[in-house]
Amino acid sequence: MTKWVYSFGAGKAEGNAGLRDLLGGKGANLAEMSGLGLPVPPGFTITTEVCTHYSEHDDSYPADLKPQVAMAMAEMEKLIGKKFNDASDPLLVSVRSGARASMPGMMDTVLNLGLNDVTVLGLAAKSGDERFAYDSYRRFIQMYGDVVLGVDHHHFEEILQNHKEDQGYALDTDMTAQDWKQMVQAYGEKVEQELGRPFPQDPEEQLWGAVSAVFGSWMNQRAITYRRLHNIPEDWGTAVNVQAMVFGNMGDDCATGVCFTRNPSTGENAYYGEFLVNAQGEDVVAGIRTPQPLTIAEKNDNHAGLPALEEVMPEMYAELVRIRSVLEKHYKDMQDMEFTIQQNKLWMLQTRGGKRTAAAGLRIAVDMVDENLIDKKEAVLRIDPAQLDQLLHPMLDPDAERHVIARGLPASPGAASGHVVFSAEDAESKHAIGEKVILVRIETSPEDIGGMYVAQGILTTRGGMTSHAAVVARGMGTPCVSGVGALRVDYAAKTMTSAGKVIQEGDLITIDGASGEVMLGEVATIQPKMTGAFGRLMEWVDEFRTMGVRANAETPEDAETAHRFGAEGIGLCRTEHMFFDAQRITHVRRMIVAKNESERREALKQILPFQRQDFIELFKIMDGLPVTIRLLDPPLHEFLPHTDKDMAVVAKAAGVDVLTVKTRAAQLNETNPMLGHRGCRLGITYPEIYEMQARAIFEAAVEVTKAGKKIIPEIMIPLVAVKAELDMMKEVVDRVAEEVMTAAGVKVNYMVGTMIELPRAALRAGEIAKTAEFFSFGTNDLTQTTFGLSRDDAGNFLGIYRDKGVIETDPFVSIDVDGVGELITIGTERGRATRPGLKVGICGEHGGDPASVNFCQKAGLDYVSCSPYRVPIARLAAAQAALGQGVGVKANA
Amino acid sequence: MTKWVYSFGAGKAEGNAGLRDLLGGKGANLAEMSGLGLPVPPGFTITTEVCTHYSEHDDSYPADLKPQVAMAMAEMEKLIGKKFNDASDPLLVSVRSGARASMPGMMDTVLNLGLNDVTVLGLAAKSGDERFAYDSYRRFIQMYGDVVLGVDHHHFEEILQNHKEDQGYALDTDMTAQDWKQMVQAYGEKVEQELGRPFPQDPEEQLWGAVSAVFGSWMNQRAITYRRLHNIPEDWGTAVNVQAMVFGNMGDDCATGVCFTRNPSTGENAYYGEFLVNAQGEDVVAGIRTPQPLTIAEKNDNHAGLPALEEVMPEMYAELVRIRSVLEKHYKDMQDMEFTIQQNKLWMLQTRGGKRTAAAGLRIAVDMVDENLIDKKEAVLRIDPAQLDQLLHPMLDPDAERHVIARGLPASPGAASGHVVFSAEDAESKHAIGEKVILVRIETSPEDIGGMYVAQGILTTRGGMTSHAAVVARGMGTPCVSGVGALRVDYAAKTMTSAGKVIQEGDLITIDGASGEVMLGEVATIQPKMTGAFGRLMEWVDEFRTMGVRANAETPEDAETAHRFGAEGIGLCRTEHMFFDAQRITHVRRMIVAKNESERREALKQILPFQRQDFIELFKIMDGLPVTIRLLDPPLHEFLPHTDKDMAVVAKAAGVDVLTVKTRAAQLNETNPMLGHRGCRLGITYPEIYEMQARAIFEAAVEVTKAGKKIIPEIMIPLVAVKAELDMMKEVVDRVAEEVMTAAGVKVNYMVGTMIELPRAALRAGEIAKTAEFFSFGTNDLTQTTFGLSRDDAGNFLGIYRDKGVIETDPFVSIDVDGVGELITIGTERGRATRPGLKVGICGEHGGDPASVNFCQKAGLDYVSCSPYRVPIARLAAAQAALGQGVGVKANA
């Protein structure tokens, strides 16, 4: 005989958490709790197999189901000490769905089942509260009428509304017992009028009506659509849970509350919770009454003065303390519990892993290792890498008032306040006189670097999570909100407008790069501390981690930060960022407008000492670690000035007229600069540029080596599509290296490799690896080209794509495993087939995204490289990935 | 005993054309000719195996080589009737290299070998020309000195120059026999001075010196580099050919000439050639003397009046006629021959397949089928598809004078003259008053379509072979030269400047889209005729062809052209080209600036009748054939006006102010439009646009079906990266189709498919084929994204890439087999794995490139689609590919 029904209650259960497929999530958890000996209101679960049978057999049940349900009902009655349909003290039950996978709001629930014109009198008598009894009854009729009988709930709401208006009532609380009685009467009449038969009075009939409604709801359109969208197979079915009702609102010996086994904000190992006397669960959440603290310690802490449960119901509290201990030992995690006290009897309604702040999560995990509840591996797996980000930046004080005027994308975490400026120049001049500024731009360009660097925060009205502003800001650890489409910036007037509100230059605003909010005025922030727990966890992380983590850094400040956060080298040093410094940009521009190679070489000679000094500083900081240096990548027009004034400066420096500079700028202008004259295409056209850069690198390496440091430059040629490009550029680098090392009499080990950032490079990796000594996947550009998607422009429609469900994941945030990911896999396999053991990493923005890090581990990469502030996140994600439990990527079709 | 030496001469030969590996190309051909019984000057070939032995054995020869050479020399002496080193009538020989693969100019040659201070007297006596004898001798010393002895030729040139100056001579022809004697003396002294020993007088020593020099030259640096670049293995080696010298300049019973077995310009089956009495081969080429015609018919034809060989040496001519017949029967192709008559004896020096015009090639191939010389298959394989293009466009009269002022890319074939205009508007207004114009633009945009359409030719200073101008021009069959970087256009002044020369609006220029030349004034053109041979060949082509050929066309004119050229349907109808018509562009712009969906729908409703009419016309022309229609693809900003005046028109039509239009234009502006908000991204964002297009298509299809035509619309969704995009757009199309067909009560068969033009789409083809009913590879965009290369910007550096040897082939011209090609193969395989028999084509510019067509055949594609004027080329290329002998693509690494 198939067992269709599983009972639970009184500290026992026929099921347990392992039977999730059969009992559904809710049923399995109730069984587990009950099996732990906790006071769970008794009940039973009708299995998912019944649902399948029901669907497949024309909405009919297995023959032996009814007897099994009858037995389970009898057991429940015994355990709760009440009888179904008992006129004096009726057992009421809830009937709820519960599928294997969570399908929130998709299926139906009926509460207070078992009430009828007779039992309501018993409930009133037993509770001593007639109003409560009739309110419960009318709720039942409304819910059952809607869910089971198909009488739309607006019918009932209309009746109630009319009555309240007639009586001049404002709130439901104005309703008396008599009023609710009238409602019960009127609701019943409405049901009869709609259906042509009275509301069912037989609790048995009510029960089977509700069970069938739940099973039937598995096949309703809403559920079918939901399953299709979430890939839930139809044959999983839902279970039905029938459970005795308990009430926290039956008098002053009743209460309801929620509690956490540890403090969810700080992680402190102290009981934490709140409750309300004579109340329902909703009341705690609704916030109309102020809840009371669970413990005396809490009461003293927050000075609210309300008495604690520990004082007013010490026995109940003692029971809760016991349960706390049972649950933490069992689940080995901080629990978030719901309880109800009905007439001095404690009932546990639910327990689940509690939500917590990043700091609390960290502390709890580390404490639990110390308490021998979990091992280090478990602790490492417990922390959500994405949440870790919170610990690395200042955040808004959650209690501070905020006046949000617009929302954009959370482009770089952290909160910042400052005075609005609309240009990088203004940012620098205001900064020079000690003012804190927020740099507001429609979008940023490499020219704005100086201003971005001194700003407290950056706000752009265009661009996505991987726009220039976002990438640079994350690299610098500066808060940034990007793509705030609702803001209109007027550079000329130096104003920005949001929904009619005009903000002038100099006005104070606050941005929250973690939420994307833009607020008026200064909002208080708090600086999260690097607790000892953080350091200990990161040590464990590194014990499990197998993949390297490097940082993308080019300034000494970034390199220092990266080093402090545990980066094992620099995976991407973007040399072009070094070109914008005020001292050298004019030389750079002279180089660009040069008429011929010899003029170009002349200008490059001026840039050389600066670049050399840059590398000397980086090499010193990264002593003993590899530094991957990408030679010049962006198109030259990015370096040219836009204003007449700046053009005049360049013209003068280059000894040409302004028209020449303008003409050159116009010549260099490109339709699609992303696909234009950049990367190694510059090196092929003007080998002298890469030559200068190679010279700067090797002269710096020689000097640092002489000073006793160990340095391993990895020189990276960008945007290679064809092996011959790499061959030619490697020839230039090798020649210069030989010259410099011979002249200095110093030998420096180095490698020459390439970015794999074009689909063709990934496909031709076998050829390219004949020359390349390492690969680094540039996943930003690889995503742009594989998808044919400009990250600067995608903001215009990616939002719509997400809203319409075309994509699940922004491919610039998490690696597109099926497309870009396949190219990474192909590139790695083919590269290593040619050159076994080829070192392969990634250096796109994805290097700091946990799901992407997990992919990289699976793809067999040697390291990921990310912005300095994301290094700890990448380390944690890599450890979890190595443990086979990395964050999954939601794939786009 | 190994045979190291192969003799030939007197109508016999030990070798033949099949021994190319052993005898090298030249040796094998000489043997073949001699074996045919032709009067080839006797000689012998020392095999490539000797070369290998020589390299591997420290520059020494096999022991039995010398006896074999001695025997061959004796044979040669017997055949020619002269003796080596004979003081009265010496045999002179040439010594030439000849490798298996042609290595032009890479290795060395010595002529007149056998002359010394004694034999020169015999030569003088025998020829009766002392001047000739000493000139030959001094040439020999110079050549031998340079090649064999290593005395640089500038030494000899200096001596000659000094002597001429001393004597006051301007030309070599001023030199007398006495002068040459002095030179022989002086050259000999110079050799002795440089080497410390006299110039070798022993012909035997001369011979072995020359043979060793040729074998040694196989390993010289120039040859090694050449082999590396052309992938020629070192162990192939070279052969050495020793052959008796014959002279056409020994008197009036001597002559030299070249002839073609058929007319190389027209293909007419008539002997054709020219000769000079008492001359050397160089003299015919040098053009100092006017050559005489071969036949009397020629003489009569070109009225030059000079007597024909047929008249002056009738016996020699009769022999040549006999040889013509032998050669054509043997080689089964038109031959280009060189001959020399020495003292009334005819010698054949060379024969090879003759170069010919496209028209001649076609006629010869067809005639030869009629003459049973070759079969149809051979005829089809004989025609170079690229050359066929010449037949489809007017070309410059080769005899017309031309004043070339600049050169660009040959973007669309054909020549055109006209008055320069600098805007599409001016082109249209000038055209309206009957003026022929050449439209000159820096680059063109879809806005210029009207002007491009009426222009005789198009010239742009930017953009490559697949720039907008080039693609559109080829589609229209209009000559175009693109990317003329040396021209500077000033729109404001309405001038263009090339190297200081200013061309005003209205000036006459001529462009040659086949060569890329830009010329001043009007240069005469000739209209090639579509001969009957063309039609017959194309019939045979279609017998062998297995792959379909369609055309890219959207106007009725294009569709007619395509149909006439044999297109089997339309493979790409770009609906956006229909948006620019003056009657509708304002509605299109209103649609773009619309504030909301209902305004957008209102504007679309105005566009619908126009689009419907477009399709009705296309469908009627393509009755019975498939028409693939791509829904709107380009980003919307391409449709917006740039001038204030045009913006005002749009603003008025849309009922908004100009600022709104400008703001919208600014919002739509993109950094990388190629990777921006375009293709199906528009359809996802504004489904109503695709809905209108689908409605226009189905309403047209219904109407045409009712009129008794058969029409198969294939609706193509562009720029799909993710399957969900196609799913959503197919839903829109299917819904509209159902609505329209139901309303009309007419059923139309149709398909919905997609462009595969992004690397991700190719990789995810298996998923996408679940929805797509056909694939069409958009190889333009696929090349752009796979290479990360914007075709609008690549002109800036692709030239440098070719010059530096980074790429061999422009990937926008011929498919990049290793990169883009692999994606096409992957996409096709995965698509068909999901949907067996999936129809797959390509519709990029590559569809008309023979090498790419060959690739498509190998990749198993069902059809290629190209611009109407390239349809015959694609048909021919497809036939050759089907025969397994398609044009190869030079792969980039």
Side-chain angles (χ1 to χ4, degrees), chain A residues 443 462 488 663 666-678 680-681 683-687 719 721-725 728 758-761 763-764 767 784-790 792-794 796-797 800-801 804-807 816 818-820 822-823 826 830 892-893, chain B residues 443 462 488 663 666-678 680-681 683-687 719 721-725 728 758-761 763-764 767 784-790 792-794 796-797 800-801 804-807 816 818-820 822-823 826 830 892-893:
Chain A
E443 53 198 350
R462 276 206 201 145
R488 287 275 161 268
T663 306
Q667 278 177 347
L668 288 174
N669 186 39
E670 292 183 306
T671 310
N672 296 292
M674 160 65 208
L675 308 175
H677 197 178
R678 47 169 291 231
C680 68
R681 296 162 193 174
I684 298 279
T685 320
Y686 312 112
L719 213 72
V722 174
K723 174 175 171 283
E725 294 172 321
M728 265 181 220
L758 299 174
R760 192 177 197 280
L763 294 169
R764 301 299 292 155
E767 268 304 295
Q784 294 196 83
T785 46
T786 303
F787 263 90
L789 195 61
S790 159
D792 294 316
D793 304 309
N796 283 338
F797 53 90
I800 295 167
Y801 264 52
K804 296 199 175 183
V806 180
I807 57 167
D816 161 46
D818 290 328
V820 177
E822 181 173 5
L823 287 176
I826 287 173
R830 295 184 181 180
N892 295 312
Chain B
E443 54 199 348
R462 277 207 200 146
R488 288 273 162 267
T663 306
Q667 278 177 348
L668 288 174
N669 186 39
E670 291 183 307
T671 311
N672 296 293
M674 160 65 207
L675 309 175
H677 196 176
R678 48 170 290 232
C680 69
R681 295 163 192 173
I684 298 279
T685 319
Y686 311 113
L719 212 73
V722 175
K723 173 174 172 284
E725 293 172 322
M728 262 180 221
L758 299 174
R760 192 178 196 280
L763 294 170
R764 301 298 293 155
E767 266 306 293
Q784 294 197 82
T785 46
T786 304
F787 263 90
L789 195 61
S790 160
D792 294 315
D793 304 309
N796 283 337
F797 52 90
I800 296 167
Y801 263 53
K804 296 198 174 183
V806 180
I807 58 169
D816 161 46
D818 290 328
V820 176
E822 181 173 7
L823 287 175
I826 287 174
R830 295 184 181 179
N892 294 312

Side-chain angles (χ1 to χ4, degrees), chain B residues 229-428:
Chain B
L229 290 173
H230 294 80
N231 282 318
I232 298 174
E234 194 175 294
D235 63 8
W236 279 8
T238 182
V240 173
N241 299 290
V242 179
Q243 191 179 18
M245 294 288 300
V246 292
F247 298 94
N249 55 346
M250 270 185 160
D252 286 344
D253 54 355
C254 300
T256 191
V258 295
C259 49
F260 294 86
T261 57
R262 301 188 187 216
N263 186 311
S265 296
T266 65
E268 191 194 354
N269 188 358
Y271 218 175
Y272 179 95
E274 47 194 30
F275 76 103
L276 283 172
V277 172
N278 193 14
Q280 282 183 296
E282 302 93 278
D283 302 334
V284 182
V285 181
I288 299 169
R289 290 164 58 189
T290 304
Q292 299 170 233
L294 197 68
T295 66
I296 295 168
E298 280 175 87
K299 177 177 122 180
N300 296 338
D301 256 10
N302 61 23
H303 312 287
L306 290 171
L309 186 75
E310 193 175 353
E311 299 167 296
V312 296
M313 295 183 175
E315 282 168 36
M316 295 296 103
Y317 177 72
E319 173 73 350
L320 270 175
V321 168
R322 186 187 69 79
I323 289 171
R324 173 191 179 213
S325 165
V326 169
L327 285 175
E328 276 214 344
K329 283 212 177 86
H330 183 69
Y331 287 106
K332 299 178 192 308
D333 194 11
M334 185 266 267
Q335 294 294 299
D336 165 2
M337 297 137 27
E338 290 175 19
F339 65 88
T340 284
I341 296 167
Q342 179 179 327
Q343 296 170 323
N344 278 324
K345 161 74 181 159
L346 176 70
W347 295 104
M348 299 306 297
L349 304 183
Q350 177 158 287
T351 186
R352 58 187 168 188
K355 290 210 192 312
R356 63 206 81 178
T357 63
L362 205 58
R363 177 159 171 190
I364 290 169
V366 172
D367 281 354
M368 284 192 169
V369 171
D370 291 340
E371 295 161 23
N372 285 320
L373 274 175
I374 60 174
D375 60 13
K376 290 179 190 174
K377 175 176 156 184
E378 182 58 31
V380 166
L381 290 174
R382 283 279 171 86
I383 311 300
D384 175 3
Q387 245 199 341
L388 208 61
D389 208 19
Q390 287 179 17
L391 299 182
L392 309 169
H393 303 275
M395 29 180 209
L396 286 184
D397 183 343
D399 298 329
E401 201 184 326
R402 36 186 107 176
H403 178 184
V404 176
I405 53 166
R407 264 191 188 77
L409 298 170
S412 175
S417 303
H419 301 277
V420 168
V421 291
F422 293 102
S423 76
E425 272 181 23
D426 289 345
E428 292 187 82

